[in-house]
Amino acid sequence: MSLTSRSRLSILDKPLSRGKGEVSLSCFALLFSEVVQYCQNKSQTVPELQNKLHELGRKVGIKLIDLYFVREKNGKREIKLLNILLFVKSTLWKALFGREADKLEHSNDDENTYYLMEKDPLVNKFISVPRDKSSLNCAVFIAGIIEAVLTGTGFTAKVTAHWHKGTTYMVKFDDVVVARDKQLEER
Amino acid sequence: MVIYGIYIVSKSGGLIFNYDNNVPKIENERKFSYPLDIKLQVENKKIVVEFGQRDGINVGHVLYSVNGIPITGCQMDDGQDAMQFLQNKENYPVTLKFGRPKMTTNEKIFLASMFYPLFAIASQLSPEPKSSGIEVLEADTFRLNCFQTLTGVKIMVVSDPQQTGIELFLKRIYEIYADYALKNPFYSLEMPIRCELFDNNLKSMLEQIEKSGIANI
């Protein structure tokens, strides 16, 4: 076996591809259905199941940060709170689901809390939750993705999904993050 | 042009879904004088016509009310036993209402499971090789269409004999099944379908058919 001197193009030398753009919805729905069943077999209670799905969402989210910052934002980092939330609401949502999230709101009572709303999350499209598990919302998977993206870009937060006006993702930032953001605005 | 009902039978022969739409109520109310020329009998805790078919009242019809007082089981709602009441000469002339008995869920399961072996026998009896099972069963007052999927699930629709386009309707039901039942993580195969989205989508499709006909779905 001889080592060739001809340089082969490795994947790191090629420019970043634009990606597939569209994947079959049925394929994803069946895969996600299996994911939910797998998590259900491993857990005994609804909160446990939600935690497992959230965890899986986080693992996906971590990998998305670099990819979408390079593809969509040309590698430029976000340092302001509002900007990263808008990035999640429009750019990330468009890349993942093909449309923007419906609404982004700031909570009236708590300064650290923001609400991201969506009427019909893609992952819930074919899922009918049975009566005995009515508190389960499989969109906690998406909440995990959002949490990983926010935490990975330096805005530590906790994201949970709730059944409210469709599906609402409650984003609660750490006090440190909000204080830092205020400082930036004052400058 | 009505669709009367939809039944889905699983691969192993059990009924997993059924929906009744627009079942026409067949009830007849008539005046009778002593002696009663219809023979009644208590069967299965209900009063059933045994002999003396006439005027739209057929054998097997159940007595629903006496003189306007509804009957539950064998007892009238005012506490009297219906059979005793009818034996008493002084109570005549009496108005009796008979009707076709409603199918209970158990009966539906029983009948649907009976269809499954008939379907299999038909495909074997056929003189042509490689025949499918029963696809259309036509009677005077209704027609039953059956569609067997690749996995052995049978979707049956009972409709008006003149209703057209049922083939398309059966395929659409199959699509709804593949979407909202099979992609649901909480649905296990061969079990009765208890998915909200499935029911909702099926109902809205039926409403759309009633409004604009089958060709539009």
Side-chain angles (χ1 to χ4, degrees), chain B residues 141-201:
Chain B
T141 46
F142 74 92
R143 194 208 293 147
L144 175 90
N145 281 70
C146 177
F147 173 61
Q148 178 169 253
T149 68
L150 290 165
T151 47
V153 172
K154 292 170 212 19
I155 303 174
M156 296 182 275
V157 169
V158 179
S159 67
D160 210 310
Q162 282 90 36
Q163 178 83 14
T164 54
I166 294 276
E167 317 277 308
L168 183 60
F169 181 50
L170 285 167
K171 292 226 164 46
R172 283 277 182 271
I173 299 181
Y174 186 30
E175 272 176 36
I176 294 184
Y177 170 71
D179 275 342
Y180 299 103
L182 295 181
K183 289 179 187 144
N184 190 7
F186 302 107
Y187 172 68
S188 346
L189 282 175
E190 317 276 312
M191 289 279 113
I193 300 177
R194 298 244 180 282
C195 311
E196 217 180 298
L197 286 173
F198 180 75
D199 295 330
N200 293 348
N201 278 67

Side-chain angles (χ1 to χ4, degrees), chain B residues 101-139:
Chain B
K102 253 203 172 142
M103 264 209 284
T104 65
T105 316
N106 265 345
E107 285 174 4
K108 284 183 193 154
I109 296 177
F110 182 63
L111 291 172
S113 319
M114 237 199 318
F115 183 79
Y116 172 73
L118 288 177
F119 184 95
I121 291 173
S123 75
Q124 289 176 19
L125 278 179
S126 163
E128 300 271 331
K130 289 197 189 162
S131 280
S132 76
I134 298 179
E135 276 182 11
V136 181
L137 188 105
E138 201 158 327

Side-chain angles (χ1 to χ4, degrees), chain A residues 25-26 29-30 32-33 36-37 40 49 124-131 133 136 138, chain B residues 175-176 178-188 194-201:
Chain A
L25 177 61
S26 303
L30 288 164
F32 189 68
S33 158
V36 175
Q37 283 180 48
Q40 191 170 32
L49 172 58
N124 281 349
K125 186 155 189 231
F126 299 116
I127 300 184
S128 320
V129 187
R131 292 283 140 121
K133 294 189 175 67
L136 173 69
C138 297
Chain B
E175 272 176 36
I176 294 184
D179 275 342
Y180 299 103
L182 295 181
K183 289 179 187 144
N184 190 7
F186 302 107
Y187 172 68
S188 346
R194 298 244 180 282
C195 311
E196 217 180 298
L197 286 173
F198 180 75
D199 295 330
N200 293 348
N201 278 67

Side-chain angles (χ1 to χ4, degrees), chain A residues 40-107:
Chain A
Q40 191 170 32
N41 286 340
K42 295 210 157 236
S43 42
Q44 270 82 39
T45 63
V46 174
E48 235 181 289
L49 172 58
Q50 289 196 300
N51 282 341
K52 289 213 157 60
L53 282 174
H54 196 257
E55 180 70 42
L56 286 173
R58 263 192 282 156
K59 293 196 174 130
V60 171
I62 293 177
K63 298 173 189 168
L64 293 177
I65 303 172
D66 289 316
L67 181 65
Y68 285 114
F69 268 96
V70 171
R71 265 194 201 155
E72 316 281 345
K73 301 229 95 179
N74 231 347
K76 192 159 185 288
R77 225 160 64 140
E78 292 294 346
I79 46 178
K80 296 224 182 87
L81 194 76
L82 197 57
N83 288 347
I84 187 77
L85 279 172
L86 286 171
F87 168 77
V88 167
K89 172 188 186 245
S90 48
T91 316
L92 191 70
W93 230 256
K94 251 219 187 89
L96 289 177
F97 307 121
R99 55 161 197 229
E100 288 193 12
D102 293 331
K103 269 194 267 176
L104 172 63
E105 279 175 12
H106 191 168
S107 157

Side-chain angles (χ1 to χ4, degrees), chain A:
Chain A
M1 194 164 80
S2 61
L3 294 165
T4 57
S5 54
R6 164 174 73 105
S7 61
R8 264 180 241 165
L9 266 182
S10 80
I11 193 170
L12 295 171
D13 298 327
K14 292 192 226 157
L16 189 62
S17 67
R18 285 308 299 177
K20 280 226 174 84
E22 270 180 14
V23 176
S24 154
L25 177 61
S26 303
C27 189
F28 172 71
L30 288 164
L31 182 66
F32 189 68
S33 158
E34 273 315 301
V35 164
V36 175
Q37 283 180 48
Y38 176 80
C39 292
Q40 191 170 32
N41 286 340
K42 295 210 157 236
S43 42
Q44 270 82 39
T45 63
V46 174
E48 235 181 289
L49 172 58
Q50 289 196 300
N51 282 341
K52 289 213 157 60
L53 282 174
H54 196 257
E55 180 70 42
L56 286 173
R58 263 192 282 156
K59 293 196 174 130
V60 171
I62 293 177
K63 298 173 189 168
L64 293 177
I65 303 172
D66 289 316
L67 181 65
Y68 285 114
F69 268 96
V70 171
R71 265 194 201 155
E72 316 281 345
K73 301 229 95 179
N74 231 347
K76 192 159 185 288
R77 225 160 64 140
E78 292 294 346
I79 46 178
K80 296 224 182 87
L81 194 76
L82 197 57
N83 288 347
I84 187 77
L85 279 172
L86 286 171
F87 168 77
V88 167
K89 172 188 186 245
S90 48
T91 316
L92 191 70
W93 230 256
K94 251 219 187 89
L96 289 177
F97 307 121
R99 55 161 197 229
E100 288 193 12
D102 293 331
K103 269 194 267 176
L104 172 63
E105 279 175 12
H106 191 168
S107 157
N108 289 334
D109 327 309
D110 189 5
E111 211 180 14
N112 302 1
T113 307
Y114 286 79
Y115 296 110
L116 191 64
M117 292 185 221
E118 194 178 24
K119 248 184 280 209
D120 234 336
L122 194 79
V123 295
N124 281 349
K125 186 155 189 231
F126 299 116
I127 300 184
S128 320
V129 187
R131 292 283 140 121
D132 54 336
K133 294 189 175 67
S134 62
S135 60
L136 173 69
N137 189 344
C138 297
V140 288
F141 180 75
I142 303 182
I145 296 181
I146 303 175
E147 185 170 314
V149 170
L150 288 173
T151 310
T153 42
F155 299 86
T156 322
K158 288 245 167 306
V159 185
T160 50
H162 304 273
W163 288 112
H164 174 68
K165 290 191 193 164
T167 301
T168 300
Y169 304 99
M170 190 172 92
V171 181
K172 196 162 168 30
F173 287 102
D174 273 4
D175 299 322
V176 183
V177 173
V178 180
R180 183 186 75 202
D181 198 61
K182 276 228 180 74
Q183 260 190 327
L184 249 155
E185 275 180 43
E186 278 162 26
R187 266 204 226 137

